[in-house]
């Protein structure tokens, strides 16, 4: 665990050394963390708006997002003591962007391949900035605000499409994932005992509407995540956190859980001989083809076999002049050209970059999930619980969605969960004990070392 010490930056984004190197008058430096929080909060709002239908009608939305991205990139120069250590530890996130840029040598469009590489590199830098300059509390509270807005719009405009609600978005799965992130943020706000009742009440008030929208979207997979997430936070709050007061009780709980799961697995799959794959698909309301995804994945494997080492290049497959891409779109009954995907992050990168891109994506997902879980093992607090939950969600989703092959998307959630380090324990202020905090007081207390 990173700990602050004299002459070192300490936890990235907190402690005087982390923003004392910023080129600003001394009297204004104390406002820099607030500026960072505001910039990240605006980024989350713009990202959410970009996925919503109303976002298409807002002029300058993309330009503002690029300006914020430039601000985050400039942070490498402005706050080197905060961000350079994260870059050194997280260099792996730049491998795919470099591979995408290099594929310009054989991709159908060199300019598009280079652009894809640059945008993915900027995505990594945005994640580094957020991980280094914003606390766990700041991350979840600002993201909550953006998703709460999306929830309000989705309730006012449910927009059923073939019986599935899409809300403020274009697809039911996009509504479902956004509402799940809101659900996790709401749980964290509700359970954050350091905050004043108004924030906790806001978090609690979002849970039922978010779950309702997920149910109405008919996204069975996300609904299963809601059940698992709810159980996880309840166990953490009711069992796991109190168990820390009894020596070795947590280890005993882990051993008991492993024992019970093992017995259940032997009973269900060994004695009763239940088919795990078919049972899971039936539980999630999916057919054996995963709504046609298995056909897409076979097509991707065929392309990878034909271009094993280099792939077809970044943005080289889903092109209107590409015959196989058109055949796939016609297979799914689209009458005109639409931007499509293989609905799998690993195959998507594998087709573009060959087997090296396929396996690099697996390594990247493994690295990110390991780091997120390691943070939770080192410090099993509420915020690490939230980050670990989001990391698990994104990695599981990556098997049916292309999150790890897109820029400025949900991959940022995974990157931040992996890149951040546990914050040092603040020096207790006895005069403030048992006193509810506002966001301003909480963020100020987190910066004390």
């Amino acid at each position: 665990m990173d700990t602050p010490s004299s002459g070192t930056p300490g936890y990235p984004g907190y402690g005087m050394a982390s923003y004392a190197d910023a080129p600003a008058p001394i009297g204004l430096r104390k406002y820099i963390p607030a500026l960072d929080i505001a910039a990240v909060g605006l980024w989350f709002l713009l990202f959410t708006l970009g996925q919503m239908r109303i976002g298409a009608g807002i002029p300058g939305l993309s330009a503002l997002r690029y300006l914020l991205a430039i601000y985050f990139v400039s942070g490498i120069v402005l706050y080197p003591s905060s961000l350079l250590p994260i870059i050194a530890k997280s260099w792996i996130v730049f491998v795919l962007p470099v591979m995408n840029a290099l594929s310009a040598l054989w991709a159908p469009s060199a300019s598009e391949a280079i652009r894809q590489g640059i945008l993915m590199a900027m995505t990594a830098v945005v994640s580094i900035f957020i991980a280094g300059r914003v606390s766990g509390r700041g991350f979840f509270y600002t993201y909550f605000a953006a998703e709460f807005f999306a929830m309000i719009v989705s309730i006012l405009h449910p927009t059923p499409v073939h019986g599935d609600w899409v809300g403020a978005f274009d697809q039911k799965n996009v509504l479902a994932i956004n509402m799940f992130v809101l659900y996790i943020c709401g749980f964290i706000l509700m359970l954050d005992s350091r905050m004043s009742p108004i924030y906790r009440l806001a978090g609690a008030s979002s849970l039922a509407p978010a779950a309702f929208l997920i149910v109405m979207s008919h996204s069975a997979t996300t609904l299963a995540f809601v059940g698992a997430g709810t159980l996880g936070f309840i166990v953490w709050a009711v069992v796991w956190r109190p168990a820390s007061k009894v020596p070795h009780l947590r280890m005993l709980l882990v051993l008991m859980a492993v024992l019970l799961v093992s017995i259940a697995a032997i009973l269900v799959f060994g004695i009763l001989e239940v088919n795990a794959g078919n049972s899971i698909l039936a539980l999630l309301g999916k057919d054996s083809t995963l709504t046609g995804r298995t056909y897409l994945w076979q097509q991707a494997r065929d392309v990878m076999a034909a271009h094993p080492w280099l792939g077809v290049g970044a943005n080289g497959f889903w092109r209107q002049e590409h015959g196989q891409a058109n055949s796939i779109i016609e297979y799914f009954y689209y009458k005109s050209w639409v931007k499509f995907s293989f609905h799998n992050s690993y195959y998507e990168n594998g087709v573009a970059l060959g087997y090296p891109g396929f396996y690099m994506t697996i390594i990247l997902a493994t690295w990110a999930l390991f780091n997120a879980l390691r943070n939770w093992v080192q410090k099993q607090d509420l915020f690490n619980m939230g980050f670990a939950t989001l990391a698990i969600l994104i990695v599981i989703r990556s098997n049916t969605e292309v999150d790890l092959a897109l820029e400025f998307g949900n991959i940022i959630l995974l990157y931040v969960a992996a890149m951040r380090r546990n914050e040092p324990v603040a020096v207790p202020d006895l005069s403030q004990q048992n006193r509810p905090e506002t966001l301003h007081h909480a963020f100020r207390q987190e910066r004390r070392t």
Side-chain angles (χ1 to χ4, degrees), residues 134-410:
V134 179
S135 69
R137 176 175 280 110
F139 177 93
F140 285 108
Y141 275 66
T142 51
Y143 217 125
F144 173 84
E147 295 289 15
F148 193 86
F149 170 74
M151 180 193 74
I152 296 298
V153 177
S154 295
I155 290 176
L156 295 176
H157 303 282
T159 319
V161 176
H162 304 300
D164 304 326
W165 283 21
V166 300
F169 304 92
D170 291 324
Q171 299 179 18
K172 69 171 189 175
N173 289 333
V174 180
L175 170 66
I177 184 62
N178 277 273
M179 291 304 100
F180 179 78
V181 174
L182 172 64
Y183 190 80
I184 296 301
C185 293
F187 243 113
I188 290 175
L189 265 69
M190 182 181 69
L191 297 176
D192 189 1
S193 59
R194 286 184 56 184
M195 303 309 296
S196 62
I198 187 170
Y199 296 115
R200 304 183 71 179
L201 181 61
S205 67
S206 68
L207 298 182
F212 173 74
L213 287 172
I214 293 173
V215 170
M216 296 307 296
S217 72
H218 297 155
S219 177
T221 305
T222 308
L223 189 60
F225 280 122
V226 169
T230 302
L231 178 62
F233 276 105
I234 291 175
V235 169
W236 179 88
V238 176
V239 179
W240 192 256
R241 184 170 59 175
S244 64
K245 300 176 182 179
V246 180
H248 309 299
L249 181 56
R250 284 182 169 178
M251 180 60 68
L252 178 61
L253 291 173
V254 171
L255 293 176
M256 290 179 60
V258 171
L259 178 62
L260 290 175
V261 171
S262 300
I263 292 174
I266 293 173
L267 178 64
V268 173
F269 303 119
I271 298 177
L272 300 180
E273 297 184 352
V274 174
N275 187 303
N278 292 339
S279 299
I280 293 174
L281 290 175
L283 180 64
L284 298 178
K286 303 291 186 181
D287 57 41
S288 59
T289 69
L290 293 174
T291 323
R293 285 182 172 88
T294 54
Y295 167 79
L296 281 170
W297 299 342
Q298 183 57 53
Q299 294 292 310
R301 286 191 288 268
D302 292 343
V303 177
M304 289 169 58
H307 305 273
W309 297 110
L310 299 179
V312 299
N315 293 321
F317 184 84
W318 298 109
R319 307 180 67 85
Q320 194 165 2
E321 67 272 17
H322 197 292
Q324 188 175 357
N326 280 279
S327 298
I328 293 174
I329 290 173
E330 291 175 2
Y331 177 85
F332 286 95
Y333 304 107
Y334 287 98
K335 296 181 179 179
S336 60
W337 172 259
V338 294
K339 184 70 174 180
F340 215 58
S341 75
F342 287 105
H343 283 274
N344 181 290
S345 297
Y346 311 97
Y347 286 135
E348 195 74 22
N349 284 334
V351 168
L353 305 171
Y355 288 114
F358 176 82
Y359 289 110
M360 189 64 235
T361 310
I362 294 176
I363 293 171
L364 180 65
T366 304
W367 167 85
L369 186 58
F370 171 82
N371 278 277
L373 294 176
R374 182 201 61 183
N375 283 340
W376 183 81
V377 170
Q378 290 179 343
K379 186 178 181 183
Q380 297 160 24
D381 64 3
L382 181 63
F383 304 113
N384 281 344
M385 178 77 177
F387 280 115
T389 301
L390 291 179
I392 293 171
L393 166 70
I394 299 302
V395 170
I396 292 178
R397 258 180 62 92
S398 66
N399 291 280
T400 55
E401 301 295 341
V402 292
D403 292 336
L404 305 189
L406 297 178
E407 69 278 2
F408 301 139
N410 290 319

Side-chain angles (χ1 to χ4, degrees), residues 400-429:
T400 55
E401 301 295 341
V402 292
D403 292 336
L404 305 189
L406 297 178
E407 69 278 2
F408 301 139
N410 290 319
I411 192 173
I412 289 180
L413 299 175
L414 180 64
Y415 279 173
V416 173
M419 293 173 177
R420 65 187 301 274
R421 294 294 180 262
N422 289 320
E423 300 131 7
V425 178
V427 177
D429 188 346

